[in-house]
Amino acid sequence: MKRYVIFDIDGTLNRTDLYAVEAYQKALAKRNWNIGREEIISCIGLSPSAIVNRLFGSLENDELETWRRDIREYESILMKDRARPFDGVEQTLAALKQAGYGLAICSNAFAGHIESVLTAIGLCQYFDTIGSLNLGADKIEVIRKLSHHTGWDKACMVGDRIFDIQAARANGIPFIGCEYGYAPEEIQDADVVVREAAEIYGAVETLI
């Protein structure tokens, strides 16, 4: 029987705020925008286009390309020294692999960015399947395609945002909500809510 655990990245595996807040503040300062830390954190986990819509409404093509380049450059520099997973994440992933679970990523980012983040936080080796925006327009479609690709018999989703739980529900799989992430109020209807990453293994065993 194929059993898979599908993970969001930002706010679930990755302590994104350690570098992303400053990266966004630097890019915004170049444009004479001043947006507070909490507003930036509220964007973590959104798709690139949704972040632009929230911060600017819209950008012309040239402005959009420059914005994306600035964010990539600032994050790349800051990630080298600051990128970290949440406490207990690596031990949990290792335990799940040891128990025979397949591990997959489902993210609102593109594949190149996902690989860079997983490399920076030292977790690439645990994931055999990456579900990114290269597979679909949103996480609902990404999970559906991951299901076809892996042929799992049972699976569950682990995440920290409302669109994670919506994607799990739309695909008929249980959801583990990470209260330690960036939007704990959004995941209180999860099948299981965990307060720290070390609790994920037990939640997975309970659900699948």
Side-chain angles (χ1 to χ4, degrees):
M1 176 181 289
K2 289 186 179 180
R3 302 179 300 168
Y4 263 80
V5 186
I6 310 152
F7 285 88
D8 166 57
I9 295 182
D10 297 313
T12 301
L13 303 175
N14 181 29
R15 295 181 60 190
T16 317
D17 64 298
L18 295 179
Y19 59 86
V21 171
E22 184 172 342
Y24 274 78
Q25 287 173 336
K26 286 178 177 291
L28 290 163
K30 285 183 65 173
R31 293 154 176 83
N32 296 314
W33 281 72
N34 183 16
I35 294 176
R37 174 183 172 83
E38 293 306 313
E39 179 65 16
I40 294 171
I41 287 178
S42 74
C43 293
I44 292 176
L46 299 179
S47 68
S49 60
I51 293 173
V52 168
N53 289 339
R54 177 169 291 190
L55 295 178
F56 303 108
S58 64
L59 291 174
E60 297 296 328
N61 286 339
D62 289 346
E63 293 175 312
L64 180 60
E65 288 305 312
T66 302
W67 165 257
R68 288 176 173 169
R69 185 181 67 242
D70 287 345
I71 290 296
R72 283 196 302 270
E73 290 178 357
Y74 288 133
E75 285 194 335
S76 177
I77 292 168
L78 293 166
M79 281 170 63
K80 291 177 182 178
D81 295 323
R82 299 188 187 180
R84 301 286 187 279
F86 284 97
D87 291 343
V89 161
E90 184 164 12
Q91 296 88 336
T92 294
L93 297 179
L96 288 167
K97 290 289 282 188
Q98 180 67 28
Y101 290 95
L103 302 183
I105 292 290
C106 176
S107 172
N108 271 329
F110 289 100
H113 178 73
I114 294 169
E115 291 166 6
S116 295
V117 170
L118 290 177
T119 298
I121 62 177
L123 301 180
C124 267
Q125 69 272 24
Y126 295 104
F127 293 95
D128 50 72
T129 306
I130 302 296
S132 69
L133 289 183
N134 299 81
L135 290 183
D138 57 31
K139 287 189 171 184
I140 293 173
E141 186 176 3
V142 171
I143 290 181
R144 179 172 57 80
K145 289 188 177 179
L146 284 175
S147 174
H148 294 322
H149 175 71
T150 62
W152 65 53
D153 299 295
K154 291 186 176 182
C156 69
M157 174 74 185
V158 186
D160 75 314
R161 296 298 304 266
I162 187 67
F163 31 81
D164 297 320
I165 194 170
Q166 289 170 342
R169 296 286 186 256
N171 283 279
I173 61 174
F175 177 73
I176 298 169
C178 298
E179 197 170 53
Y180 59 80
Y182 297 122
E185 71 284 355
E186 294 183 3
I187 50 82
Q188 293 305 311
D189 290 333
D191 296 287
V192 178
V193 174
V194 297
R195 292 168 293 179
E196 55 187 31
E199 298 175 1
I200 292 172
Y201 182 90
V204 170
E205 288 281 274
T206 297
L207 292 174
I208 64 171

